[in-house]
Amino acid sequence: MTAVVAWLDAVLSSIPLPVLEVWGRFSYVVGLFLAICAFCGFTFRIGEQWGSGRARQRWDTKAFLSVPLTCVLIIATGYVGSFIVLVPGAQTFESLKDLAVLLCVVLLGYPALITIPFAYGLSDLIEGVPPEFLLAWLPGYFINPSCFWIAHQFVGKNPDFRIAGTWWRYLIAAVLFMTLEPVLWGYMCSDQFPSGISYHRISAALFFTTSITWAMGPMAFLIALPLARRFGWFWAEIPGRVRERAIGSSAWIWESGRSEAPGGAAPVPEGLPIRIFIFAPFIALVLVMVGTTAIVALQTADDDARMLATRLHQAMSTNIRLQLDDYLARSPPPAGTQREDTLDSLLRNQAVGTSGRAVVLEASGKVIASSASPGDPVVANAIAALGQRTGPSGLSAGTTEFQFDHVTAKPLSRETWLTYAAAYRNQRAGHDWTLMTAMPESFYLAGLRKANSRSAMLLALALVLSLVLGAALASMVTAPLRRMAHATQTMAGGDLSVRVPDSKLEELDALGGSFNTMATKLKKSFDDLLGEISTRKSREQELKESETRLRLSEERLKLAIDAASLGISDWDIEQDRLVWDDSMYRLYGVRKEEFSGAFEAWSKCVVPEDVAQARADVETALRGESDYFSDFRVKRADGAIRIIRGVAQIIRNADGKPVRMVGINRDVTDLVNAEHERVRANEAVQAAQAELAQVARLTTMGELAASIAHEISQPLAAVVSYGNGALRWLAQAPPNLEETKAALKGVVEAGSHAGEVFVRIRDLLKHRKPDYATLDVNQAIRDVTALTGSALRSRSVVIETTLAADLPRVSGDRVQLQQVIMNLAMNGADAMSSVTDRPRLLQVESKANDEGGIEVAIRDSGSGIEDAIRHRIFDPLFTTKSAGMGMGLSICRRIIEAHGGRLWASPRTPHGTEFRFTIPGPDRPPTPA
């Protein structure tokens, strides 16, 4: 260690002193600039970008607690380091305290920075540094942490030495620090020490100690950073602790504890924690009281010590004077060297000669006798200081007191000596001398300096105890308040059921009770408010939906008006002022500037043939006889004739007199033409349907030809038989008239039966329009079964009829209903054509339904209809028969629906299909198909 310090001393000694002085002054100016920037909240690194900016510090609980933590760390490391000697007689382990400064500045941030000057001075005071040195070095106590602040700028946001980039930034900070700090302190100490000693010895020692500090830094950070992060003390990871922005900008660019810009982050609580507000003044008061007491006591002790020193000097000077008088009176001393040796021995035997210096001088300043060895630098400095006090004429007054500083380079020290000079004259011997005594200040003030150190330690101990006591008291007093604050935050989060417990402090217990009462009332009010809000939201939602529906309705109305080419008119009847919208002018083919806006102007737009009726419709509506509804034709300017339909509402006054007529007009030309086309198309469809029905009937009759022939042949055979019998009875003599009459009667009955068969066939085959009349459905069923009976029996089909006796009569076309019954019956017979394992049974049933109409069911025992095609059996042109047209069931459904009824099919259990149709009562007239 000694060799390293000596080498650094040699290196600095090789640099010319003027260069070191310029370097020192420049470093001092740069250090002052860094101190201003650091302590005033400036920064040169905004987030991860370099630039000039401002940093805003938020003082939370941990920020305040960083202050005493910094004090304890610096004082403790300084005290421990003072016991570790690196260079015997020259250098202690000051690097340990500087390392604590580096860690505190980088890890704890701004609160540690502003604490370090005071903690460092207190530590030096404990280590024995004179108070006057502290005052002289006061700027340095602020510049020193500002130089460490360079590391804060380079690595402060992430001092993780496991990352390679941290090392080179740390190295740059170390180089900048070593360039400024050691030489800067050489400049600052040049007032207390000679420039050569300051720049060579002090700067070399600081180069040595600070290089050790920076060398230990990485390992210290690897240990301290995880601890700081674990306990939440690392300033860069505390949310909202520091915000940074560029100078001239109001937008915060970076915020501690967050990776994103603070604009989108959650707000950070502002203001001082109440614990800090309570115990910070308490701690400050304790420190002020302890410090003031120590300063007053030490100052008083210093004054007493200096007064004691003066009196001791006077006493020692008087004692020496007496001994000189006695020595000179007893025997005149020999002259020359023998006399000087005798006087030197006399002075060395004095108390002052042991701990200080005693010197006898001639008026010219020549040393006659001295308690020190020849060439003693202290004696030389004392004589030089006396010469500056007295001048060339020597000591004019009887006594004088002064002090001078004696500096030694190795070991480096600066000692103040208290000096007392008194004139000594011996008239008998003819001597005119000056008797000077000098004692080091430490001889008198050693106890005072020890008291200074103890006072500083007492102040540090008072600080720690005050922090502990203040924190305990503040925690006890503020605990209920913090619970209330937490409860308030919980309530702000939506949980209004939280309450605070009772407190042992009367006022806080009352406050807690008031808080709980308020919370209860607030919850009730909030619940009521939630109910009201829910109701209002529901109403607002309904209103919004209504407004939306209204807006949609208005939009649809506008679209409808535009799509339908509707025009709106407003006629002021009393003033005969007719106002049209733009659509009206397009409907009538009139230019806006050509329309006079009167009723007559409208009448001129109507074709002459329709004017009378159009005006009559208006007058009828004005009289209130009917609502206004009128179709009329207008002739446009291009000659086109358009049909206009007008609808209007008459507005009347209190007397019932019409005052306004507001309405809409619509061009219905295409609609009327389409209606005419629709009527013609319906007529064509009806004709086609009638033809299809006729074809269906003919097809059915073709299928029944054999049965019809059988039905006709029976009455015709009866006619022949009865005729032949009548002839035989007439051929008898005399003719048997009674038998003849009976035979002729049989001829008439058989002929009538044949006529009825022909009538039924003719009605079915006749092509005619539907003839709706009140009819008996049971009779229609009997006629169909009579007509189809022979054909069904030929297919081994047994007909079973169940006809209700009280069946109401309905309104319908007898032929069409018979066609439906016949078609369903024949379809049932066709469905049973493949049945061989069970009877082929066709059931026909009629009954009245609950609606006053009738319901007819026709069931077969066939194979049934597949589920996949059941929904299609009534579609036109759909058939399952190889020779079918697919129109029978479609026509049957149209006939039934035209009668106001319904036709459907459903499966039977276990076999077959059931068709049912309904016909409404006579109070619901059918709709022609």
Side-chain angles (χ1 to χ4, degrees), residues 362-695:
E362 290 183 348
S364 62
K366 179 183 178 182
V367 177
I368 297 175
S370 174
S371 63
S373 59
D376 182 60
V378 176
V379 173
N381 288 338
I383 294 173
L386 178 63
Q388 293 176 359
R389 296 278 298 181
T390 60
S393 58
L395 187 63
S396 58
T399 61
T400 183
E401 290 183 74
F402 61 94
Q403 62 185 30
F404 65 91
D405 293 329
H406 175 65
V407 178
T408 59
K410 292 184 179 181
L412 181 63
S413 65
R414 180 175 178 268
E415 182 70 43
T416 299
W417 289 72
L418 303 178
T419 310
Y420 183 83
Y424 176 78
R425 292 181 178 87
N426 191 318
Q427 298 298 332
R428 186 169 63 87
H431 300 306
D432 188 7
W433 295 341
T434 299
L435 178 60
M436 182 172 61
T437 58
M439 294 290 289
E441 188 181 49
S442 59
F443 180 79
Y444 304 102
L445 303 181
L448 181 62
R449 290 178 179 175
K450 186 177 293 184
N452 288 341
S453 177
R454 291 177 178 176
S455 297
M457 293 182 64
L458 179 62
L459 186 62
L461 182 61
L463 173 63
V464 174
L465 293 178
S466 299
L467 286 174
V468 174
L469 180 60
L473 291 175
S475 179
M476 182 179 67
V477 172
T478 61
L481 297 178
R482 284 185 280 114
R483 286 194 291 267
M484 280 185 235
H486 177 72
T488 303
Q489 293 175 352
T490 305
M491 292 175 65
D495 184 7
L496 298 181
S497 62
V498 65
R499 298 293 183 268
V500 296
D502 297 335
S503 173
K504 295 181 179 179
L505 301 178
E506 180 180 353
E507 292 78 2
L508 294 179
D509 183 64
L511 180 60
S514 300
F515 177 87
N516 290 337
T517 303
M518 179 272 295
T520 302
K521 293 181 179 179
L522 180 62
K523 186 175 187 307
K524 183 179 181 303
S525 301
F526 187 75
D527 292 341
D528 296 341
L529 180 60
L530 284 179
E532 180 67 21
I533 290 175
S534 177
T535 303
R536 290 191 178 185
K537 283 184 177 180
S538 177
R539 293 177 180 175
E540 288 177 0
Q541 183 64 28
E542 293 176 357
L543 179 60
K544 288 181 180 179
E545 292 176 356
S546 300
E547 291 176 348
T548 302
R549 289 195 297 270
L550 178 60
R551 183 174 63 257
L552 293 176
S553 178
E554 291 175 349
E555 292 174 354
R556 287 195 294 267
L557 177 61
K558 185 177 184 304
L559 290 174
I561 290 175
D562 294 340
S565 299
L566 297 178
I568 301 176
S569 64
D570 188 355
W571 179 32
D572 188 335
I573 300 173
E574 294 180 344
Q575 299 183 10
D576 191 18
R577 184 174 62 201
L578 182 60
V579 179
W580 283 357
D581 68 349
D582 293 339
S583 298
M584 288 288 286
Y585 294 105
R586 291 194 296 269
L587 288 177
Y588 281 79
V590 178
R591 297 177 61 184
K592 190 173 184 178
E593 57 272 12
E594 297 175 353
F595 186 70
S596 62
F599 183 74
E600 289 299 327
W602 169 76
S603 300
K604 292 179 181 179
C605 296
V606 182
V607 297
E609 294 83 357
D610 294 350
V611 169
Q613 183 60 44
R615 294 175 68 96
D617 292 339
V618 172
E619 293 172 356
T620 300
L622 294 178
R623 291 193 299 269
E625 297 177 3
S626 65
D627 295 333
Y628 178 71
F629 182 90
S630 178
D631 288 351
F632 50 87
R633 293 172 296 166
V634 298
K635 185 176 183 181
R636 294 179 175 176
D638 58 0
I641 303 297
R642 306 298 294 179
I643 303 174
I644 304 298
R645 176 169 293 169
V647 179
Q649 179 71 35
I650 308 300
I651 300 175
R652 305 177 184 275
N653 59 16
D655 299 331
K657 181 180 178 181
V659 292
R660 288 178 63 193
M661 183 175 177
V662 181
I664 59 173
N665 282 199
R666 180 185 177 191
D667 185 346
V668 295
T669 304
D670 297 336
L671 181 63
V672 171
N673 293 337
E675 181 65 22
H676 292 163
E677 291 296 329
R678 189 187 69 79
V679 171
R680 287 194 292 270
N682 284 341
E683 291 176 352
V685 169
Q686 290 178 4
Q689 290 175 348
E691 291 293 339
L692 286 174
Q694 178 69 9
V695 170

Side-chain angles (χ1 to χ4, degrees), residues 155-178:
V155 300
K157 292 184 173 66
N158 188 18
D160 190 350
F161 282 86
R162 295 173 299 176
I163 302 173
T166 306
W167 285 89
W168 68 262
R169 289 197 299 268
Y170 180 80
L171 181 60
I172 294 175
V175 170
L176 292 175
F177 180 93
M178 299 297 290

